[in-house]
Amino acid sequence: MKNSLLIILSTFIFTACSFSNQAKIKETKSINVFTNYVSNSYYKKDEGYDWVSVNLSKYDENTIKVKVRSRADKKTPTCTLDTFAYKVDKNKYNFYSEGKTLELLIYENKIELKGKTKDDEIALYYFCSGGGSLKGDYFKYEKSLDKEQIDKRAYVNSLSYGKYRFYIDSSDNKLTIKTYDLKYSKEPFVHEIKGQVVFSEIADINNDTNPEIYIYLNENIEGKTYGKLIAYSVNAAVSMSEIYLAPLKYNKELSSSYFGNDEFRVVKNTLVRRYPLKNGKIKQIQYKLVAGEATWQLKIDKILEY
């Protein structure tokens, strides 16, 4: 009788432990990674300490939007970055800067930013001032960040190509592009914008050694999202001029199938634009950069459907 009771009790304990472990596993699987993470110094912010935050939000099934902001009420923000990180495996995402591979590692209660190699790690200094680096651990903080202290700019990025560097930021429906490396284009380029900046990148798709910058925006119109492009090209290493992209409404072949939800990316030597069709397929437009009579233009090179 005692043995039977022991067996029953042991079975009950084992089953209870199994359910407990399953609950823990289930809880771990369902943890929210899309939230704020902060440096340890955030908890001493009221004592005047500087701090850095990282916000992760879902872009699609394999892409995370990374937004780095820091304290801005007492001095120039220490670290800023807006980029996308791409899935490598369940808890590891990579993002890239100037040919360097950077890693975002996700744990249950923190994230870690590091370089894939020691050489790659140098790039984590690019996003910070005063010798700072984004390298290190950031701890989950599922609350709103201090609105009085945080850098309030909606988008911030810096792009470099050889000797050229460009600074991009947006706030209050205004996009500003700055560069200090061009003799005749030292004043900021300012655009009034209706949507939000999603991403920016630099390339030389016409291979003339003068880079272009491509800034992608999403604009919401009557519940639909439409991709917008603002782009500039460096001219003869001394100035910069805007690149023209004709709206799709002027193209009879494309206008009837276009209903928004499009996005842009540079792929090798072309600018690629993709958007979904009503039949479930994807339309892809590939543009080449050519010299127009008055300015640079993006001309359609290929149209694909898959």
Side-chain angles (χ1 to χ4, degrees):
M1 182 68 178
K2 286 183 179 179
N3 289 336
S4 299
L5 286 172
L6 284 172
I7 291 170
I8 293 169
L9 182 60
S10 298
T11 304
F12 174 77
I13 292 171
F14 175 77
T15 305
C17 289
S18 297
F19 279 124
S20 176
N21 288 334
Q22 287 174 8
K24 286 179 181 177
I25 291 169
K26 186 176 181 181
E27 181 182 349
T28 301
K29 285 183 178 179
S30 63
I31 60 172
N32 177 33
V33 301
F34 303 118
T35 185
N36 294 314
Y37 298 82
V38 296
S39 59
N40 266 328
S41 54
Y42 184 81
Y43 298 99
K44 296 182 179 180
K45 60 186 177 64
D46 293 333
E47 299 173 39
Y49 280 71
D50 196 6
W51 53 267
V52 178
S53 68
V54 182
N55 176 269
L56 303 184
S57 59
K58 183 177 180 179
Y59 186 74
D60 60 34
E61 291 302 319
N62 297 302
T63 311
I64 287 178
K65 192 172 183 180
V66 182
K67 188 186 189 81
V68 176
R69 292 293 184 271
S70 55
R71 186 167 192 165
D73 61 325
K74 291 182 176 295
K75 62 181 186 65
T76 302
T78 305
C79 299
T80 49
L81 172 67
D82 283 88
T83 192
F84 287 121
Y86 304 95
K87 189 173 185 176
V88 177
D89 58 39
K90 181 181 176 183
N91 298 312
K92 180 179 177 182
Y93 289 73
N94 285 351
F95 59 106
Y96 307 92
S97 177
E98 301 186 27
K100 308 292 186 184
T101 299
L102 306 170
E103 296 181 342
L104 165 64
L105 305 178
I106 300 174
Y107 304 97
E108 186 172 354
N109 292 308
K110 71 173 186 176
I111 61 171
E112 180 185 2
L113 298 180
K114 61 190 288 287
K116 185 175 182 180
T117 67
K118 287 292 183 184
D119 182 59
D120 290 330
E121 219 151 78
I122 294 170
L124 290 170
Y125 288 87
Y126 299 163
F127 313 111
C128 301
S129 60
S133 170
L134 282 181
K135 175 179 167 59
D137 295 337
Y138 298 84
F139 301 91
K140 182 176 286 188
Y141 188 80
E142 295 183 290
K143 300 177 184 178
S144 297
L145 297 171
D146 192 317
K147 294 180 180 179
E148 297 301 318
Q149 294 186 5
I150 197 168
D151 181 357
K152 297 179 178 62
R153 288 175 292 177
Y155 182 88
V156 184
N157 197 14
S158 62
L159 301 169
S160 64
Y161 189 97
K163 65 180 181 180
Y164 304 104
R165 185 169 286 275
F166 304 89
Y167 304 91
I168 300 161
D169 70 70
S170 72
S171 58
D172 300 325
N173 298 316
K174 185 178 293 185
L175 171 70
T176 304
I177 306 163
K178 298 177 184 176
T179 182
Y180 305 101
D181 303 315
L182 302 173
K183 184 177 180 180
Y184 299 119
S185 294
K186 293 188 180 297
E187 293 298 315
F189 294 81
V190 180
H191 291 259
E192 295 292 333
I193 59 175
K194 294 181 180 179
Q196 60 178 350
V197 178
V198 177
F199 191 60
S200 58
E201 57 186 332
I202 193 165
D204 180 16
I205 66 175
N206 62 346
N207 293 314
D208 67 350
T209 73
N210 291 293
E212 313 93 39
I213 56 173
Y214 298 92
I215 303 168
Y216 314 127
L217 301 89
N218 278 346
E219 184 175 331
N220 191 286
I221 301 175
E222 297 179 351
K224 293 183 179 180
T225 300
Y226 295 88
K228 301 292 180 182
L229 173 72
I230 294 175
Y232 281 84
S233 176
V234 171
N235 303 312
V238 295
S239 65
M240 192 163 72
S241 59
E242 192 166 3
I243 297 170
Y244 177 73
L245 175 66
L248 291 183
K249 65 181 181 181
Y250 298 135
N251 186 303
K252 291 183 180 179
E253 178 185 355
L254 297 170
S255 60
S256 61
S257 66
Y258 175 63
F259 298 96
N261 290 323
D262 49 330
E263 60 178 19
F264 296 89
R265 285 295 185 277
V266 171
V267 180
K268 295 184 178 179
N269 292 325
T270 61
L271 178 69
V272 173
R273 181 183 205 164
R274 297 188 182 103
Y275 58 87
L277 301 174
K278 286 189 173 181
N279 61 10
K281 293 186 176 182
I282 299 294
K283 182 82 78 176
Q284 177 171 300
I285 308 168
Q286 297 177 192
Y287 298 92
K288 290 289 187 182
L289 183 65
V290 299
E293 293 183 7
T295 186
W296 291 99
Q297 298 181 17
L298 286 161
K299 291 287 188 182
I300 295 175
D301 181 51
K302 293 179 181 179
I303 300 174
L304 306 173
E305 190 174 308
Y306 55 91

